[in-house]
């Protein structure tokens, strides 16, 4: 196993900072990557941060995380959280632990966000803390 933690981000998260800042905050994904890298250094971990707008790419990266011996995956599947059985199956298919991450708390938003397929298989879920959700999730990797 390596010390690398994959941080995989789904659709529309490339627009973080501009996108509905009242819900998601003003930090960009690059800002979050920089925060994670600082924290990872303290924890003796390394970060591999990625974003895609494509569901199958997330599936491929989950498979890759296992093949490359990643320590864990932090996964913000964005809207695919609520729709994707393919992502649920991928999380179940790999032995690499996956922590589900959300900036907002989907359970307090529209009813269609209350269901999380990924959450059915994730080792744990960190949500509702804005950018800090990612940092808390990274700290949790050390406890897995
Ligand atoms: C999100 C919550 C999802 O419901 C939404 O579709 C997103 C972002 C979050 O981080 O709060 O795109 O995953």
């Amino acid at each position: 196993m390596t010390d690398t933690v994959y941080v995989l981000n789904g659709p529309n998260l490339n627009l973080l900072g501009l996108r509905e800042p009242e819900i998601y905050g003003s930090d960009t994904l690059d800002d979050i990557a920089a925060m994670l890298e600082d924290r990872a250094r303290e924890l003796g971990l390394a970060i591999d941060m990625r974003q895609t707008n494509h569901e199958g790419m997330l599936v491929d990266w989950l498979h890759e995380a296992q093949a490359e011996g990643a320590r864990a995956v932090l996964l913000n599947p964005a809207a695919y959280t609520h729709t994707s059985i393919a992502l649920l199956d991928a999380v179940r298919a790999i032995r690499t632990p996956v922590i589900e991450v959300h900036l907002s708390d989907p359970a307090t938003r529209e009813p269609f966000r209350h269901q999380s397929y990924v959450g059915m298989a994730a080792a744990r879920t960190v949500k509702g803390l804005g950018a800090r959700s990612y940092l808390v999730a990274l700290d949790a990797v050390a406890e897995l």
Side-chain angles (χ1 to χ4, degrees):
M1 203 208 291
T2 70
D3 290 329
T4 301
V5 177
Y6 278 42
V7 185
L8 306 182
N9 296 280
N12 301 303
L13 292 171
N14 53 312
L15 297 181
L16 222 54
L18 298 172
R19 173 193 182 203
E20 299 181 277
E22 64 288 358
I23 296 174
Y24 298 116
S26 55
D27 288 317
T28 65
L29 211 53
D30 283 347
D31 293 334
I32 294 174
M35 288 180 222
L36 281 171
E37 268 156 26
D38 286 348
R39 185 77 187 117
R41 219 170 290 121
E42 290 166 13
L43 294 168
L45 297 170
I47 294 299
D48 188 333
M49 179 93 164
R50 305 180 188 184
Q51 188 277 332
T52 178
N53 292 323
H54 304 280
E55 183 177 11
M57 185 64 81
L58 290 169
V59 172
D60 287 345
W61 285 345
L62 286 164
H63 297 176
E64 183 191 313
Q66 160 146 298
E68 295 296 322
R71 173 81 167 265
V73 176
L74 309 189
L75 174 62
N76 185 347
Y80 292 136
T81 307
H82 318 299
T83 61
S84 180
I85 296 167
L87 280 179
L88 165 62
D89 285 349
V91 173
R92 283 193 177 146
I94 62 174
R95 288 181 308 279
T96 313
V98 175
I99 300 182
E100 179 188 15
V101 179
H102 299 285
L103 296 138
S104 67
D105 181 357
T108 64
R109 299 179 60 194
E110 305 97 317
F112 60 82
R113 294 184 203 275
H114 294 185
Q115 167 96 303
S116 171
Y117 287 104
V118 166
M120 293 175 188
R124 60 180 80 169
T125 298
V126 183
K127 58 184 186 168
L129 305 174
R132 212 164 64 78
S133 290
Y134 286 83
L135 293 172
V136 171
L138 186 60
D139 285 343
V141 167
E143 296 158 23
L144 286 172

